[in-house]
Amino acid sequence: MFIDELDAVGRHRGAGLGGGHDEREQTLNQLLVEMDGFDTDTNVILIAATNRPDVLDKALLRPGRFDRQIVVDVPGVNGREGILKVHSKDIPLADDVDLRVVARSTPGLVGADLANLVNEAALLAARKNKTKVNMEDIEEAKDKVMMGVERRSVILSEEERKVTAFHEAGHALVAYHTAQADPLHKITIIPRGRALGLTAQLPLDDKHNYTRAYIRGRLDILMGGRTAEQVVFKELTTGAGNDLEIATELARRMVVEWGMSEKVGPTTLGKSEQELFLGREIQQHKNISEETARTIDEEIRTIILAAERRAKQILTEHMDQLKLLANALLEHETIHGEDMPRLFAGKTLLRVSSNGRPGSKAKRRNQGTAKKKSAAAGRSKSTSSARSHSKTAAKTKTRRKTSPSSKPAK
């Protein structure tokens, strides 16, 4: 017998909600009675799964009950490659598809994510009337799964696009000049999910332990977008709200969990603050004093301000690269990580139209928008009068004559 999401019925008893007459506690009591181990004539093997083993009732974990625990962790490179092979065995793959490369570039994804990635790649190939799924489709599906769906319907003003371009360029440039930062994967100002822009980094391999230097570099990158807005426009926007939230949480964990604050010291603080509905007691008391809480707040602020100063120093020293990267984002909308050295060397970014990369999409979309506007203007003029219609036709003929792709009129 298999029970999924065991924490739904197996949480700590006595949470203060309903007492022993709570329906959930009655279910747990009956489960414990059935698993008492006194019946020897039944051959029932009970297996359960949960993402929160820390909130399970202690009686469930005693010998004779769920006393054997198997940790199913996030798969590594070999595990991801095997999962990709399983989900792609019935999908025709092109010769250029290397599942080992895909596995290396998808750290942190679990089985359901990888299955979704393969499915999205197959859908993209089917929409393009392809007979096989190639590496281009997998890369596009990977960006959709890891970065969110592109929202092409969101139309930003030119000022918003410029602010977003410098914001993302600030993130990318700080990451580019940070020693222990993860390699840049893609920088885009195309809205994805709820974000107006995105800077994605992919680690070279799976990481299980992080140094203080790496976390400080991560904080510098998070503060790079806000700092770029402040340096270039002398103004702040609400676009850095999520960056500040992540940076604050990361700095707080450095102080109270990981012992990375010299002022607070190697201590773990504030662990007694637990959510009531996760099965903890209704009355909890803080194990820190008001003075210690004030010191923690000061340390968090100090760490974030130091990261902001380091980011500002990098952006100020490389202001020409910041402007170059922002202008490239405004032109191509998406810059890949391998494009940045070429861009800073003064070379032209290559965009191949056949592979559907966002740079070529942006040009085609701008051309399509211009054509739609021209057609709409022609329709509005044609309804006014015959005279305006003839002027529109004359202007159209003039554009056709001066077009470099058309033959000269005889």
Side-chain angles (χ1 to χ4, degrees):
M1 182 182 298
F2 177 72
I3 302 176
D4 197 10
E5 304 296 344
L6 181 63
D7 56 283
V9 295
R11 295 177 184 172
H12 282 286
R13 290 171 289 182
L17 299 176
H21 298 286
D22 186 16
E23 181 180 357
R24 177 180 57 82
E25 292 198 3
Q26 293 182 16
T27 306
L28 174 60
N29 291 332
Q30 185 64 28
L31 182 64
L32 294 174
V33 170
E34 294 294 334
M35 297 177 64
D36 54 8
F38 289 109
D39 296 332
T40 58
D41 56 346
T42 57
N43 298 321
V44 179
I45 299 176
L46 196 59
I47 305 174
T50 178
N51 291 328
R52 295 299 308 272
D54 55 316
V55 302
L56 294 179
D57 194 89
K58 293 181 179 180
L60 274 176
L61 306 178
R62 288 173 182 167
R65 291 173 178 158
F66 294 111
D67 53 350
R68 294 174 176 86
Q69 299 182 18
I70 302 175
V71 178
V72 182
D73 205 353
V74 177
V77 176
N78 296 330
R80 291 195 298 271
E81 184 181 4
I83 294 173
L84 287 171
K85 289 180 180 179
V86 169
H87 291 294
S88 61
K89 63 180 181 180
D90 296 329
I91 295 178
L93 300 178
D95 296 335
D96 64 339
V97 175
D98 190 349
L99 295 181
R100 183 70 178 182
V101 175
V102 179
R104 287 179 178 175
S105 62
T106 53
L109 297 190
V110 296
D113 298 324
L114 296 173
N116 187 26
L117 188 151
V118 175
N119 186 42
E120 289 290 344
L123 291 175
L124 291 172
R127 290 170 188 166
K128 300 174 184 177
N129 295 323
K130 295 181 180 179
T131 57
K132 293 184 178 180
V133 177
N134 56 18
M135 201 65 176
E136 169 204 337
D137 302 320
I138 293 180
E139 287 292 331
E140 191 172 348
K142 182 181 71 175
D143 292 340
K144 184 177 181 181
V145 172
M146 300 183 69
M147 301 169 59
V149 182
E150 291 185 359
R151 293 189 299 158
R152 295 285 182 175
S153 59
V154 179
I155 300 176
L156 301 178
S157 64
E158 193 62 30
E159 184 65 25
E160 286 180 325
R161 290 183 76 248
K162 189 175 181 180
V163 172
T164 304
F166 274 95
H167 181 98
E168 300 304 329
H171 286 308
L173 191 61
V174 175
Y176 184 78
H177 290 285
T178 300
Q180 297 191 11
D182 294 325
L184 285 165
H185 170 61
K186 185 174 291 187
I187 312 105
T188 179
I189 59 172
I190 301 174
R192 285 180 177 268
R194 300 179 62 182
L196 297 180
L198 201 65
T199 301
Q201 298 174 258
L202 288 179
L204 294 175
D205 51 7
D206 296 324
K207 289 187 177 182
H208 306 284
N209 200 13
Y210 301 92
T211 63
R212 181 165 62 174
Y214 175 86
I215 299 174
R216 283 180 175 176
R218 184 66 188 146
L219 289 172
D220 298 348
I221 298 169
L222 288 170
M223 301 303 296
R226 181 180 184 272
T227 307
E229 295 179 10
Q230 191 174 13
V231 170
V232 176
F233 301 102
K234 310 299 181 184
E235 187 59 80
L236 298 176
T237 66
T238 59
N242 186 49
D243 299 332
L244 294 176
E245 181 181 354
I246 298 175
T248 304
E249 178 61 22
L250 196 58
R252 187 194 67 82
R253 298 186 69 182
M254 289 179 65
V255 176
V256 302
E257 291 186 26
W258 300 330
M260 294 183 179
S261 170
E262 297 179 358
K263 194 172 183 179
V264 176
T267 56
T268 300
L269 303 172
K271 296 296 290 184
S272 63
E273 298 177 3
Q274 299 288 343
E275 293 83 355
L276 170 64
F277 292 97
L278 290 182
R280 300 300 185 185
E281 296 294 336
I282 192 170
Q283 293 181 352
Q284 292 286 345
H285 302 282
K286 293 183 178 180
N287 58 355
I288 58 176
S289 63
E290 294 294 334
E291 183 179 355
T292 304
R294 191 179 300 109
T295 304
I296 292 173
D297 294 339
E298 293 175 355
E299 277 294 285
I300 294 174
R301 189 180 300 107
T302 301
I303 291 174
I304 294 178
L305 291 178
E308 186 180 27
R309 286 193 301 269
R310 291 191 296 267
K312 188 175 183 179
Q313 181 180 359
I314 293 175
L315 296 177
T316 305
E317 293 177 355
H318 303 88
M319 180 58 65
D320 53 341
Q321 294 182 353
L322 177 65
K323 294 180 180 179
L324 192 64
L325 182 56
N327 292 330
L329 283 172
L330 289 173
E331 179 182 356
H332 301 289
E333 291 188 333
T334 299
I335 301 295
H336 296 261
E338 61 269 18
D339 294 335
M340 292 185 64
R342 184 181 183 88
L343 179 66
F344 294 155
K347 299 179 181 179
T348 305
L349 297 184
L350 299 179
R351 288 292 183 266
V352 183
S353 59
S354 61
N355 69 353
R357 294 180 75 173
S360 57
K361 285 183 180 179
K363 293 180 180 178
R364 292 196 299 271
R365 187 171 68 255
N366 292 336
Q367 293 173 358
T369 305
K371 290 180 180 179
K372 291 180 180 180
K373 290 182 178 179
S374 177
R379 287 194 299 269
S380 62
K381 289 182 179 180
S382 63
T383 57
S384 58
S385 62
R387 183 179 178 182
S388 61
H389 177 73
S390 62
K391 288 182 178 180
T392 305
K395 290 181 179 179
T396 306
K397 289 181 180 179
T398 304
R399 287 196 297 271
R400 287 177 180 173
K401 287 181 181 180
T402 57
S403 174
S405 61
S406 60
K407 296 182 179 179
K410 294 182 180 179

